[in-house]
Amino acid sequence: DVKVTQSSRYLVKRTGEKVFLECVQDMDHENMFWYRQDPGLGLRLIYFSYDVKMKEKGDIPEGYSVSREKKERFSLILESASTNQTSMYLCASSLGGRAYEQYFGPGTRLTVT
Amino acid sequence: AQSVTQLDSQVPVFEEAPVELRCNYSSSVSVYLFWYVQYPNQGLQLLLKYLSGSTLVKGINGFEAEFNKSQTSFHLRKPSVHISDTAEYFCAVKRSSNTGKLIFGQGTTLQVKP
């Protein structure tokens, strides 16, 4: 089975802190994605990556950056956390030619106080 | 631009009853359509997909969906639900010419009551 793991299930940070969310997949997938999930808004794409060191902005990249130094790992960075970034963050991965069939991690619920 | 609308935020239903979760999309180009399911405290998993061919697609756990191009809909159905089907369901669309992004709907919470 494909496994996508996220470093924390729950995280509490203070406003202004730099926050790192880590995601690792074990199936050699080329594509990796970061979403945030908010009630009534569904999932919104923050960033995605098709290859190592390659990234593209999604629909809501403001306030976020990403890093992909190794194929299996995709990190989401909040440079200066704000309360409006309190949310559930989901990481996903997929094969290169099947970007629609994404495998998701369990999510990290981030609270910024 | 593409968008996806899930018409019901919550659908309560009794066990063994049929259910339909509605999804409409807007796009001027050919699309691929998907339903994902999120069980409590888990990530999403793919339930079923429509890429081409037969407009009636079957997925896991007895679910099926029908692609209706004229009505731009992709409703999800199950003839008899179980308690274990309680989850949040997301409809998603992707342009067939695009290698990347899925656009997700707002989600529908299916609550199956005993």
Side-chain angles (χ1 to χ4, degrees), chain A residues 35 43 45 59 99-100 102, chain B residues 1-6 23-36 46 48-51 67 72-74 90-106:
Chain A
Y35 295 90
L43 275 72
L45 183 65
D59 300 314
Y100 54 81
Q102 297 180 18
Chain B
Q2 298 155 273
S3 68
V4 179
T5 302
Q6 292 183 240
C23 172
N24 285 90
Y25 69 94
S26 65
S27 176
S28 58
V29 298
S30 296
V31 295
Y32 297 155
L33 294 156
F34 312 88
W35 277 97
Y36 277 80
L46 184 63
L48 50 78
K49 60 183 181 281
Y50 171 78
L51 304 181
F67 170 54
T72 60
S73 68
F74 191 56
F90 292 93
C91 183
V93 63
K94 190 185 87 64
R95 283 198 323 202
S96 56
S97 60
N98 182 305
T99 57
K101 297 160 43 173
L102 289 175
I103 307 298
F104 285 88
Q106 302 92 328

Side-chain angles (χ1 to χ4, degrees), chain A residues 19 21 34-36 38 44-47 55 57 60-66 76-80 82 84-87 89 110:
Chain A
V19 181
L21 303 183
W34 274 107
Y35 295 90
R36 63 177 283 175
D38 299 290
R44 292 178 291 166
L45 183 65
I46 304 172
Y47 269 97
K55 61 187 178 185
K57 293 180 180 179
I60 51 164
E62 296 78 18
Y64 304 94
S65 62
V66 291
L76 180 69
I77 304 155
L78 288 66
E79 295 290 341
S80 177
S82 64
N84 63 12
Q85 293 178 309
T86 291
S87 187
Y89 290 88
L110 173 67

Side-chain angles (χ1 to χ4, degrees), chain B residues 10-75:
Chain B
Q10 294 191 343
V11 173
V13 63
F14 287 105
E15 195 172 18
E16 297 184 6
V19 71
E20 178 179 83
L21 305 184
R22 297 179 293 167
C23 172
N24 285 90
Y25 69 94
S26 65
S27 176
S28 58
V29 298
S30 296
V31 295
Y32 297 155
L33 294 156
F34 312 88
W35 277 97
Y36 277 80
V37 60
Q38 184 180 31
Y39 297 106
N41 299 313
Q42 296 184 27
L44 280 71
Q45 63 183 89
L46 184 63
L47 197 57
L48 50 78
K49 60 183 181 281
Y50 171 78
L51 304 181
S52 64
S54 173
T55 57
L56 183 64
V57 293
K58 295 188 184 296
I60 61 173
N61 301 337
F63 283 92
E64 62 182 32
E66 185 155 20
F67 170 54
N68 187 318
K69 189 175 182 180
S70 62
Q71 296 188 6
T72 60
S73 68
F74 191 56
H75 300 334

Side-chain angles (χ1 to χ4, degrees), chain A residues 17-110:
Chain A
E17 279 194 81
K18 190 169 186 175
V19 181
F20 292 87
L21 303 183
E22 306 286 343
C23 175
V24 177
Q25 50 94 3
D26 66 357
M27 283 300 291
D28 203 35
H29 283 172
E30 290 83 6
N31 302 324
M32 295 189 76
F33 308 83
W34 274 107
Y35 295 90
R36 63 177 283 175
Q37 181 181 8
D38 299 290
L41 296 178
L43 275 72
R44 292 178 291 166
L45 183 65
I46 304 172
Y47 269 97
F48 60 105
S49 169
Y50 289 137
D51 203 349
V52 175
K53 296 189 185 296
M54 184 264 169
K55 61 187 178 185
E56 286 195 33
K57 293 180 180 179
D59 300 314
I60 51 164
E62 296 78 18
Y64 304 94
S65 62
V66 291
S67 172
R68 193 166 180 200
E69 297 296 318
K70 294 185 177 181
K71 191 174 186 179
E72 68 270 18
R73 187 180 298 269
F74 193 35
S75 302
L76 180 69
I77 304 155
L78 288 66
E79 295 290 341
S80 177
S82 64
T83 55
N84 63 12
Q85 293 178 309
T86 291
S87 187
M88 172 69 84
Y89 290 88
L90 294 172
C91 176
S93 71
S94 74
L95 285 169
R98 296 168 70 93
Y100 54 81
E101 190 163 351
Q102 297 180 18
Y103 295 83
F104 283 80
T108 295
R109 183 163 297 281
L110 173 67

